Amino acid sequence: MKKFLIVLTSLSLLLMCGCSHIEEDEEIEVQTVTVEDEEYYSRFRGQDVSINVYNWGEYIPDGSEEGSISVNEEFTKLTGIRVNYSTYANNEELYAKLKGGGSTYDVIIPSDYMISRMIKEDMLEPIDLSEIPNFKNIMEKFRNPEYDPDCKYSVPYTWGTVGIIYDTTAIDEEDIDWDILWNEDYAGSILMFDNPRDAFAISQILLGYSLNTEDSDELQKAAEKLKDQKKVIQAYVMDEIFDKMGAGEAVLAPYYAGDAVTLMDEFENLDFVIPESGTNLFIDAACIPKGCRNKEAAEMYLNFLCEPDIAYAVSDYIGYSTPNQAAYEMLDDEVKNDGISYPDDDFIAEKTTIFRNLSDEANLEMQTLWTDMKSSEEQTPNRFIVPAFMAICVAASLVILIRRYIRKKKDIF
C-alpha cells in the first residue's frame, strides 16, 4: 500500500509538473476590447438590425488566430447589430459591383483614388462626424486628405506604402530601387502587379512622371516601359505573391508594406525596401454607399472601427499602418521604428504620392494601354525555345521516317 501511495504521489507530481509546463508553453495573450462610451452602442439592441459590410479579403481580424478577436462578432455583442460580411479583390471589382446595382451595402472600404471617383459620381453618403465621436483618434495628417477634404465621405481605416519584396538569399544588391524589376539578371524570377494603376505608377516613377499624370504621351511611354519589362516577368499577380515568394518560386516583387511585414514574419529569407526614388502612399477608408439601409447603424460601425482597441487589433492582424493615434501609441517600439510600417515624416512628405482619381478619358486610356501591353506578344529571350524544340523534334522524326523508308527499299530490292 505504501509503494502504491508513493507511485500515486509521484504520478500526481509528474502530472502537475506536466500541466504546469503545458500551461506555461501555451500561454497566449488574449486580446480584449474596451470602449469609452458603452451607452453610445446601446440604441439598436433588441431591434433585429443588421448591416452589410463589403471589404477587402483578409482585411479585418476574424478571430481565426489564437488569442485574437473577431471585430464583427465583438461589434454584434456590443450593439446587437448583426454583420453580414463579404469581400472583394480590388477597387475595380468593388466599383463594378456598386455601379451594377443589385446589391446593397452599408459599409465599404475602398482606397483613396476610388473614394474620390465615387464622390464625383455621387455614389457615397455624406458622413455625420458628430455621430462618430471616436474620429477624434484619427491623426491630424489624415483628417484632410486630398481625395476627400475634411473627411466628408470617409473615415481612414489603414494606410501604407508600396515597395519591393526580395529574397535575400538570391539578391545581395545595395540601394535596391524600382529599376531592379527590369534587371535581366533575374529574368523569370520577377513578379509584377496585376493591376494597371500600381504597375503604371512604378513605370512613371522611373520615367520621372507624376503618378497622377493624364498626359497621353506620358501614359503611352509608361506603357512602353512596362512592355519592355515583359521579357523578365515570370507572372502578373496580386495575392499570389504570398505563395510564390514564400515557396521561392520568385525572388523579386512589388507589393504593399503591410503584406510584406506579414511575409517577413513567416519567411526569414525575405526582406522589404521602400525605394528612395519615391513611391505611392495609399489610404483605405470606410465609407457609406448611397442606398444603404441603415445609415445610423453604419456610422456606429465606423465609430467602432475607430475604437483604440479595434484599430490596434486591425493593424496587428493585417500588418498595415494605423491612422489612429491612440492605437499607434499601443504598438511596440519595434514596429514603430522598423522603417517599413511607419516611414519618417520627411520621407512621406518628399518621396510619396497619394493617387488621385484620373479623368474618365485618362482611366480609359490607361486601361486600354494595359490590356494591349499584356496581350501583346511576349518579348522574352526564351520565347523561341519551345517552337525551336518542336521544330527539332519534327525534323528528327522526319529523318527517322526517311531512314526507315530507305531501309525498306533496300530490303525489297
Side-chain angles (χ1 to χ4, degrees), residues 26-64:
E26 294 183 355
E27 187 176 350
I28 294 174
E29 183 179 352
V30 178
Q31 293 181 353
T32 58
V33 177
T34 302
V35 299
E36 183 176 331
D37 182 8
E38 189 168 342
E39 181 64 26
Y40 165 89
Y41 294 103
S42 65
R43 76 183 87 163
F44 292 111
R45 290 176 188 163
Q47 297 184 33
D48 194 28
V49 173
S50 66
I51 57 172
N52 297 330
V53 177
Y54 200 29
N55 194 4
W56 301 77
E58 301 293 328
Y59 215 47
I60 199 167
D62 59 5
S64 59

mmCIF file of all heavy atoms in Angstrom, residues 26-64:
data_model
loop_
_atom_site.group_PDB
_atom_site.id
_atom_site.type_symbol
_atom_site.label_atom_id
_atom_site.label_comp_id
_atom_site.label_asym_id
_atom_site.label_seq_id
_atom_site.Cartn_x
_atom_site.Cartn_y
_atom_site.Cartn_z
ATOM 1 N N GLU A 26 1.822 27.194 -23.530
ATOM 2 C CA GLU A 26 0.692 27.556 -24.371
ATOM 3 C C GLU A 26 0.045 28.881 -23.956
ATOM 4 O O GLU A 26 -0.994 29.243 -24.464
ATOM 5 C CB GLU A 26 -0.363 26.442 -24.337
ATOM 6 C CG GLU A 26 0.129 25.143 -24.974
ATOM 7 C CD GLU A 26 -0.954 24.086 -24.987
ATOM 8 O OE1 GLU A 26 -2.032 24.339 -24.412
ATOM 9 O OE2 GLU A 26 -0.726 23.017 -25.568
ATOM 10 N N GLU A 27 0.679 29.572 -23.018
ATOM 11 C CA GLU A 27 0.116 30.836 -22.572
ATOM 12 C C GLU A 27 0.155 31.856 -23.700
ATOM 13 O O GLU A 27 1.209 32.176 -24.230
ATOM 14 C CB GLU A 27 0.901 31.366 -21.374
ATOM 15 C CG GLU A 27 0.269 32.604 -20.754
ATOM 16 C CD GLU A 27 1.010 33.057 -19.512
ATOM 17 O OE1 GLU A 27 1.881 32.312 -19.028
ATOM 18 O OE2 GLU A 27 0.703 34.157 -19.033
ATOM 19 N N ILE A 28 -0.981 32.314 -24.104
ATOM 20 C CA ILE A 28 -1.096 33.260 -25.218
ATOM 21 C C ILE A 28 -1.888 34.472 -24.755
ATOM 22 O O ILE A 28 -2.942 34.339 -24.115
ATOM 23 C CB ILE A 28 -1.807 32.603 -26.417
ATOM 24 C CG1 ILE A 28 -0.932 31.465 -26.973
ATOM 25 C CG2 ILE A 28 -2.095 33.624 -27.513
ATOM 26 C CD1 ILE A 28 -1.599 30.660 -28.051
ATOM 27 N N GLU A 29 -1.364 35.628 -25.089
ATOM 28 C CA GLU A 29 -2.052 36.851 -24.707
ATOM 29 C C GLU A 29 -3.360 36.973 -25.500
ATOM 30 O O GLU A 29 -3.359 36.908 -26.733
ATOM 31 C CB GLU A 29 -1.167 38.068 -24.987
ATOM 32 C CG GLU A 29 -1.792 39.373 -24.546
ATOM 33 C CD GLU A 29 -0.899 40.570 -24.817
ATOM 34 O OE1 GLU A 29 0.264 40.358 -25.209
ATOM 35 O OE2 GLU A 29 -1.373 41.709 -24.642
ATOM 36 N N VAL A 30 -4.457 37.123 -24.797
ATOM 37 C CA VAL A 30 -5.776 37.219 -25.425
ATOM 38 C C VAL A 30 -6.155 38.694 -25.549
ATOM 39 O O VAL A 30 -6.127 39.432 -24.567
ATOM 40 C CB VAL A 30 -6.840 36.458 -24.610
ATOM 41 C CG1 VAL A 30 -8.199 36.610 -25.263
ATOM 42 C CG2 VAL A 30 -6.459 34.988 -24.483
ATOM 43 N N GLN A 31 -6.488 39.108 -26.760
ATOM 44 C CA GLN A 31 -6.888 40.494 -26.972
ATOM 45 C C GLN A 31 -8.271 40.744 -26.360
ATOM 46 O O GLN A 31 -9.138 39.877 -26.374
ATOM 47 C CB GLN A 31 -6.920 40.808 -28.470
ATOM 48 C CG GLN A 31 -5.552 40.793 -29.121
ATOM 49 C CD GLN A 31 -5.628 41.119 -30.592
ATOM 50 O OE1 GLN A 31 -6.701 41.238 -31.164
ATOM 51 N NE2 GLN A 31 -4.475 41.262 -31.224
ATOM 52 N N THR A 32 -8.431 41.923 -25.833
ATOM 53 C CA THR A 32 -9.718 42.319 -25.251
ATOM 54 C C THR A 32 -10.168 43.626 -25.879
ATOM 55 O O THR A 32 -9.368 44.339 -26.496
ATOM 56 C CB THR A 32 -9.605 42.496 -23.728
ATOM 57 O OG1 THR A 32 -8.595 43.478 -23.440
ATOM 58 C CG2 THR A 32 -9.237 41.186 -23.054
ATOM 59 N N VAL A 33 -11.444 43.923 -25.715
ATOM 60 C CA VAL A 33 -12.000 45.156 -26.276
ATOM 61 C C VAL A 33 -12.662 45.963 -25.168
ATOM 62 O O VAL A 33 -13.564 45.474 -24.485
ATOM 63 C CB VAL A 33 -13.029 44.860 -27.382
ATOM 64 C CG1 VAL A 33 -13.650 46.157 -27.888
ATOM 65 C CG2 VAL A 33 -12.375 44.101 -28.520
ATOM 66 N N THR A 34 -12.182 47.181 -25.003
ATOM 67 C CA THR A 34 -12.789 48.115 -24.067
ATOM 68 C C THR A 34 -13.200 49.356 -24.842
ATOM 69 O O THR A 34 -12.410 49.874 -25.640
ATOM 70 C CB THR A 34 -11.800 48.517 -22.955
ATOM 71 O OG1 THR A 34 -11.356 47.337 -22.270
ATOM 72 C CG2 THR A 34 -12.462 49.457 -21.957
ATOM 73 N N VAL A 35 -14.419 49.819 -24.646
ATOM 74 C CA VAL A 35 -14.888 51.021 -25.344
ATOM 75 C C VAL A 35 -15.067 52.155 -24.343
ATOM 76 O O VAL A 35 -15.330 51.926 -23.158
ATOM 77 C CB VAL A 35 -16.208 50.763 -26.101
ATOM 78 C CG1 VAL A 35 -16.004 49.685 -27.152
ATOM 79 C CG2 VAL A 35 -17.327 50.377 -25.145
ATOM 80 N N GLU A 36 -14.933 53.368 -24.829
ATOM 81 C CA GLU A 36 -15.002 54.531 -23.945
ATOM 82 C C GLU A 36 -16.429 54.831 -23.508
ATOM 83 O O GLU A 36 -16.678 55.179 -22.366
ATOM 84 C CB GLU A 36 -14.417 55.753 -24.669
ATOM 85 C CG GLU A 36 -14.378 57.004 -23.815
ATOM 86 C CD GLU A 36 -13.717 58.175 -24.513
ATOM 87 O OE1 GLU A 36 -12.829 57.947 -25.368
ATOM 88 O OE2 GLU A 36 -14.091 59.329 -24.203
ATOM 89 N N ASP A 37 -17.392 54.676 -24.417
ATOM 90 C CA ASP A 37 -18.783 55.039 -24.113
ATOM 91 C C ASP A 37 -19.697 53.895 -24.528
ATOM 92 O O ASP A 37 -20.192 53.843 -25.648
ATOM 93 C CB ASP A 37 -19.154 56.327 -24.856
ATOM 94 C CG ASP A 37 -20.577 56.791 -24.561
ATOM 95 O OD1 ASP A 37 -21.222 56.206 -23.661
ATOM 96 O OD2 ASP A 37 -21.034 57.736 -25.228
ATOM 97 N N GLU A 38 -19.936 52.968 -23.602
ATOM 98 C CA GLU A 38 -20.756 51.797 -23.918
ATOM 99 C C GLU A 38 -22.202 52.179 -24.188
ATOM 100 O O GLU A 38 -22.893 51.531 -24.987
ATOM 101 C CB GLU A 38 -20.680 50.787 -22.769
ATOM 102 C CG GLU A 38 -21.317 49.456 -23.117
ATOM 103 C CD GLU A 38 -20.987 48.372 -22.115
ATOM 104 O OE1 GLU A 38 -20.013 48.533 -21.348
ATOM 105 O OE2 GLU A 38 -21.709 47.360 -22.099
ATOM 106 N N GLU A 39 -22.685 53.240 -23.561
ATOM 107 C CA GLU A 39 -24.062 53.680 -23.754
ATOM 108 C C GLU A 39 -24.320 54.067 -25.205
ATOM 109 O O GLU A 39 -25.416 53.856 -25.741
ATOM 110 C CB GLU A 39 -24.352 54.867 -22.829
ATOM 111 C CG GLU A 39 -25.772 55.409 -22.923
ATOM 112 C CD GLU A 39 -26.815 54.391 -22.481
ATOM 113 O OE1 GLU A 39 -26.476 53.505 -21.670
ATOM 114 O OE2 GLU A 39 -27.969 54.483 -22.944
ATOM 115 N N TYR A 40 -23.299 54.627 -25.857
ATOM 116 C CA TYR A 40 -23.416 55.031 -27.269
ATOM 117 C C TYR A 40 -23.864 53.859 -28.139
ATOM 118 O O TYR A 40 -24.616 54.042 -29.113
ATOM 119 C CB TYR A 40 -22.063 55.582 -27.739
ATOM 120 C CG TYR A 40 -21.917 55.705 -29.244
ATOM 121 C CD1 TYR A 40 -22.309 56.858 -29.921
ATOM 122 C CD2 TYR A 40 -21.382 54.657 -29.997
ATOM 123 C CE1 TYR A 40 -22.174 56.968 -31.300
ATOM 124 C CE2 TYR A 40 -21.239 54.758 -31.380
ATOM 125 C CZ TYR A 40 -21.634 55.910 -32.020
ATOM 126 O OH TYR A 40 -21.500 56.019 -33.382
ATOM 127 N N TYR A 41 -23.406 52.665 -27.806
ATOM 128 C CA TYR A 41 -23.658 51.486 -28.642
ATOM 129 C C TYR A 41 -24.959 50.758 -28.298
ATOM 130 O O TYR A 41 -25.220 49.676 -28.836
ATOM 131 C CB TYR A 41 -22.492 50.512 -28.513
ATOM 132 C CG TYR A 41 -21.183 51.035 -29.079
ATOM 133 C CD1 TYR A 41 -20.178 51.508 -28.241
ATOM 134 C CD2 TYR A 41 -20.969 51.057 -30.454
ATOM 135 C CE1 TYR A 41 -18.980 51.986 -28.752
ATOM 136 C CE2 TYR A 41 -19.772 51.545 -30.982
ATOM 137 C CZ TYR A 41 -18.780 52.008 -30.129
ATOM 138 O OH TYR A 41 -17.604 52.486 -30.643
ATOM 139 N N SER A 42 -25.774 51.324 -27.437
ATOM 140 C CA SER A 42 -26.947 50.592 -26.943
ATOM 141 C C SER A 42 -28.235 50.850 -27.724
ATOM 142 O O SER A 42 -29.221 50.145 -27.550
ATOM 143 C CB SER A 42 -27.182 50.952 -25.470
ATOM 144 O OG SER A 42 -27.527 52.331 -25.349
ATOM 145 N N ARG A 43 -28.245 51.837 -28.614
ATOM 146 C CA ARG A 43 -29.525 52.297 -29.170
ATOM 147 C C ARG A 43 -30.238 51.287 -30.056
ATOM 148 O O ARG A 43 -31.457 51.364 -30.236
ATOM 149 C CB ARG A 43 -29.323 53.610 -29.928
ATOM 150 C CG ARG A 43 -28.673 53.479 -31.285
ATOM 151 C CD ARG A 43 -28.440 54.807 -31.957
ATOM 152 N NE ARG A 43 -27.164 55.384 -31.561
ATOM 153 C CZ ARG A 43 -26.568 56.349 -32.231
ATOM 154 N NH1 ARG A 43 -27.151 56.879 -33.284
ATOM 155 N NH2 ARG A 43 -25.399 56.788 -31.838
ATOM 156 N N PHE A 44 -29.517 50.317 -30.665
ATOM 157 C CA PHE A 44 -30.183 49.363 -31.569
ATOM 158 C C PHE A 44 -30.339 47.974 -30.954
ATOM 159 O O PHE A 44 -30.771 47.046 -31.645
ATOM 160 C CB PHE A 44 -29.395 49.256 -32.874
ATOM 161 C CG PHE A 44 -29.436 50.509 -33.708
ATOM 162 C CD1 PHE A 44 -28.298 51.292 -33.876
ATOM 163 C CD2 PHE A 44 -30.611 50.923 -34.308
ATOM 164 C CE1 PHE A 44 -28.331 52.447 -34.631
ATOM 165 C CE2 PHE A 44 -30.652 52.082 -35.064
ATOM 166 C CZ PHE A 44 -29.509 52.849 -35.219
ATOM 167 N N ARG A 45 -29.993 47.809 -29.687
ATOM 168 C CA ARG A 45 -30.090 46.483 -29.071
ATOM 169 C C ARG A 45 -31.541 46.008 -29.046
ATOM 170 O O ARG A 45 -32.457 46.760 -28.739
ATOM 171 C CB ARG A 45 -29.537 46.528 -27.640
ATOM 172 C CG ARG A 45 -28.029 46.707 -27.586
ATOM 173 C CD ARG A 45 -27.543 46.842 -26.157
ATOM 174 N NE ARG A 45 -26.124 47.211 -26.107
ATOM 175 C CZ ARG A 45 -25.522 47.709 -25.043
ATOM 176 N NH1 ARG A 45 -26.221 47.894 -23.921
ATOM 177 N NH2 ARG A 45 -24.248 48.022 -25.076
ATOM 178 N N GLY A 46 -31.723 44.753 -29.406
ATOM 179 C CA GLY A 46 -33.049 44.155 -29.379
ATOM 180 C C GLY A 46 -33.958 44.564 -30.509
ATOM 181 O O GLY A 46 -35.160 44.283 -30.475
ATOM 182 N N GLN A 47 -33.421 45.227 -31.532
ATOM 183 C CA GLN A 47 -34.263 45.710 -32.635
ATOM 184 C C GLN A 47 -34.082 44.912 -33.927
ATOM 185 O O GLN A 47 -34.583 45.292 -34.983
ATOM 186 C CB GLN A 47 -33.961 47.190 -32.900
ATOM 187 C CG GLN A 47 -34.290 48.104 -31.730
ATOM 188 C CD GLN A 47 -34.063 49.570 -32.051
ATOM 189 O OE1 GLN A 47 -34.252 50.006 -33.187
ATOM 190 N NE2 GLN A 47 -33.660 50.348 -31.053
ATOM 191 N N ASP A 48 -33.335 43.822 -33.863
ATOM 192 C CA ASP A 48 -33.126 42.953 -35.023
ATOM 193 C C ASP A 48 -32.574 43.724 -36.219
ATOM 194 O O ASP A 48 -33.077 43.616 -37.349
ATOM 195 C CB ASP A 48 -34.434 42.249 -35.406
ATOM 196 C CG ASP A 48 -34.198 41.083 -36.366
ATOM 197 O OD1 ASP A 48 -33.090 40.502 -36.319
ATOM 198 O OD2 ASP A 48 -35.090 40.784 -37.175
ATOM 199 N N VAL A 49 -31.544 44.522 -35.963
ATOM 200 C CA VAL A 49 -30.908 45.325 -37.010
ATOM 201 C C VAL A 49 -29.686 44.585 -37.546
ATOM 202 O O VAL A 49 -28.972 43.913 -36.798
ATOM 203 C CB VAL A 49 -30.494 46.709 -36.465
ATOM 204 C CG1 VAL A 49 -29.672 47.488 -37.484
ATOM 205 C CG2 VAL A 49 -31.725 47.497 -36.052
ATOM 206 N N SER A 50 -29.456 44.707 -38.835
ATOM 207 C CA SER A 50 -28.246 44.125 -39.434
ATOM 208 C C SER A 50 -27.669 45.115 -40.446
ATOM 209 O O SER A 50 -28.384 45.989 -40.954
ATOM 210 C CB SER A 50 -28.567 42.794 -40.121
ATOM 211 O OG SER A 50 -29.427 42.994 -41.234
ATOM 212 N N ILE A 51 -26.379 44.981 -40.717
ATOM 213 C CA ILE A 51 -25.728 45.797 -41.744
ATOM 214 C C ILE A 51 -24.905 44.886 -42.654
ATOM 215 O O ILE A 51 -24.446 43.817 -42.235
ATOM 216 C CB ILE A 51 -24.823 46.896 -41.138
ATOM 217 C CG1 ILE A 51 -23.756 46.274 -40.229
ATOM 218 C CG2 ILE A 51 -25.644 47.926 -40.394
ATOM 219 C CD1 ILE A 51 -22.712 47.286 -39.745
ATOM 220 N N ASN A 52 -24.765 45.330 -43.895
ATOM 221 C CA ASN A 52 -23.942 44.601 -44.867
ATOM 222 C C ASN A 52 -22.619 45.340 -45.045
ATOM 223 O O ASN A 52 -22.601 46.517 -45.420
ATOM 224 C CB ASN A 52 -24.663 44.508 -46.216
ATOM 225 C CG ASN A 52 -25.952 43.717 -46.124
ATOM 226 O OD1 ASN A 52 -26.073 42.801 -45.307
ATOM 227 N ND2 ASN A 52 -26.940 44.070 -46.939
ATOM 228 N N VAL A 53 -21.520 44.648 -44.763
ATOM 229 C CA VAL A 53 -20.180 45.228 -44.863
ATOM 230 C C VAL A 53 -19.420 44.533 -45.982
ATOM 231 O O VAL A 53 -19.385 43.307 -46.065
ATOM 232 C CB VAL A 53 -19.420 45.085 -43.528
ATOM 233 C CG1 VAL A 53 -17.999 45.629 -43.663
ATOM 234 C CG2 VAL A 53 -20.163 45.800 -42.408
ATOM 235 N N TYR A 54 -18.811 45.347 -46.857
ATOM 236 C CA TYR A 54 -18.087 44.840 -48.031
ATOM 237 C C TYR A 54 -16.649 45.345 -47.922
ATOM 238 O O TYR A 54 -16.402 46.547 -47.941
ATOM 239 C CB TYR A 54 -18.769 45.394 -49.288
ATOM 240 C CG TYR A 54 -18.492 44.658 -50.580
ATOM 241 C CD1 TYR A 54 -18.210 43.299 -50.612
ATOM 242 C CD2 TYR A 54 -18.550 45.353 -51.796
ATOM 243 C CE1 TYR A 54 -17.999 42.644 -51.819
ATOM 244 C CE2 TYR A 54 -18.341 44.713 -53.000
ATOM 245 C CZ TYR A 54 -18.057 43.353 -53.011
ATOM 246 O OH TYR A 54 -17.847 42.719 -54.209
ATOM 247 N N ASN A 55 -15.691 44.421 -47.804
ATOM 248 C CA ASN A 55 -14.311 44.794 -47.526
ATOM 249 C C ASN A 55 -13.353 43.937 -48.349
ATOM 250 O O ASN A 55 -13.746 42.943 -48.955
ATOM 251 C CB ASN A 55 -14.030 44.615 -46.022
ATOM 252 C CG ASN A 55 -12.761 45.282 -45.555
ATOM 253 O OD1 ASN A 55 -12.074 45.968 -46.313
ATOM 254 N ND2 ASN A 55 -12.432 45.096 -44.294
ATOM 255 N N TRP A 56 -12.091 44.335 -48.353
ATOM 256 C CA TRP A 56 -11.050 43.528 -48.981
ATOM 257 C C TRP A 56 -10.945 42.176 -48.272
ATOM 258 O O TRP A 56 -11.244 42.064 -47.082
ATOM 259 C CB TRP A 56 -9.698 44.225 -48.879
ATOM 260 C CG TRP A 56 -9.620 45.567 -49.512
ATOM 261 C CD1 TRP A 56 -10.115 46.749 -49.028
ATOM 262 C CD2 TRP A 56 -8.993 45.890 -50.752
ATOM 263 N NE1 TRP A 56 -9.841 47.788 -49.889
ATOM 264 C CE2 TRP A 56 -9.138 47.283 -50.952
ATOM 265 C CE3 TRP A 56 -8.297 45.154 -51.712
ATOM 266 C CZ2 TRP A 56 -8.637 47.946 -52.067
ATOM 267 C CZ3 TRP A 56 -7.791 45.798 -52.820
ATOM 268 C CH2 TRP A 56 -7.973 47.169 -53.000
ATOM 269 N N GLY A 57 -10.464 41.166 -48.985
ATOM 270 C CA GLY A 57 -10.226 39.872 -48.365
ATOM 271 C C GLY A 57 -9.095 39.944 -47.348
ATOM 272 O O GLY A 57 -8.120 40.676 -47.544
ATOM 273 N N GLU A 58 -9.221 39.186 -46.259
ATOM 274 C CA GLU A 58 -8.193 39.122 -45.213
ATOM 275 C C GLU A 58 -7.843 40.507 -44.682
ATOM 276 O O GLU A 58 -6.676 40.812 -44.452
ATOM 277 C CB GLU A 58 -6.923 38.443 -45.764
ATOM 278 C CG GLU A 58 -7.107 37.044 -46.286
ATOM 279 C CD GLU A 58 -7.451 36.048 -45.184
ATOM 280 O OE1 GLU A 58 -6.992 36.239 -44.044
ATOM 281 O OE2 GLU A 58 -8.194 35.101 -45.465
ATOM 282 N N TYR A 59 -8.856 41.363 -44.486
ATOM 283 C CA TYR A 59 -8.584 42.752 -44.137
ATOM 284 C C TYR A 59 -9.236 43.185 -42.836
ATOM 285 O O TYR A 59 -9.410 44.372 -42.600
ATOM 286 C CB TYR A 59 -9.028 43.649 -45.300
ATOM 287 C CG TYR A 59 -8.153 44.871 -45.508
ATOM 288 C CD1 TYR A 59 -6.770 44.777 -45.526
ATOM 289 C CD2 TYR A 59 -8.722 46.118 -45.691
ATOM 290 C CE1 TYR A 59 -5.978 45.897 -45.723
ATOM 291 C CE2 TYR A 59 -7.938 47.248 -45.894
ATOM 292 C CZ TYR A 59 -6.565 47.129 -45.902
ATOM 293 O OH TYR A 59 -5.777 48.248 -46.095
ATOM 294 N N ILE A 60 -9.575 42.204 -41.995
ATOM 295 C CA ILE A 60 -10.137 42.523 -40.690
ATOM 296 C C ILE A 60 -9.932 41.297 -39.794
ATOM 297 O O ILE A 60 -10.010 40.166 -40.275
ATOM 298 C CB ILE A 60 -11.639 42.886 -40.790
ATOM 299 C CG1 ILE A 60 -12.108 43.640 -39.555
ATOM 300 C CG2 ILE A 60 -12.489 41.658 -41.034
ATOM 301 C CD1 ILE A 60 -13.481 44.289 -39.709
ATOM 302 N N PRO A 61 -9.621 41.483 -38.512
ATOM 303 C CA PRO A 61 -9.470 40.321 -37.625
ATOM 304 C C PRO A 61 -10.774 39.532 -37.532
ATOM 305 O O PRO A 61 -11.834 40.107 -37.299
ATOM 306 C CB PRO A 61 -9.114 40.959 -36.274
ATOM 307 C CG PRO A 61 -8.553 42.301 -36.606
ATOM 308 C CD PRO A 61 -9.302 42.751 -37.830
ATOM 309 N N ASP A 62 -10.658 38.217 -37.727
ATOM 310 C CA ASP A 62 -11.864 37.373 -37.704
ATOM 311 C C ASP A 62 -11.833 36.339 -36.589
ATOM 312 O O ASP A 62 -12.680 35.441 -36.545
ATOM 313 C CB ASP A 62 -12.050 36.679 -39.051
ATOM 314 C CG ASP A 62 -10.851 35.803 -39.424
ATOM 315 O OD1 ASP A 62 -9.921 35.659 -38.599
ATOM 316 O OD2 ASP A 62 -10.841 35.272 -40.548
ATOM 317 N N GLY A 63 -10.838 36.445 -35.698
ATOM 318 C CA GLY A 63 -10.761 35.507 -34.577
ATOM 319 C C GLY A 63 -10.143 34.176 -34.926
ATOM 320 O O GLY A 63 -10.095 33.280 -34.080
ATOM 321 N N SER A 64 -9.658 34.015 -36.151
ATOM 322 C CA SER A 64 -9.103 32.726 -36.567
ATOM 323 C C SER A 64 -7.738 32.449 -35.939
ATOM 324 O O SER A 64 -7.334 31.297 -35.806
ATOM 325 C CB SER A 64 -8.985 32.671 -38.101
ATOM 326 O OG SER A 64 -8.160 33.722 -38.580
#
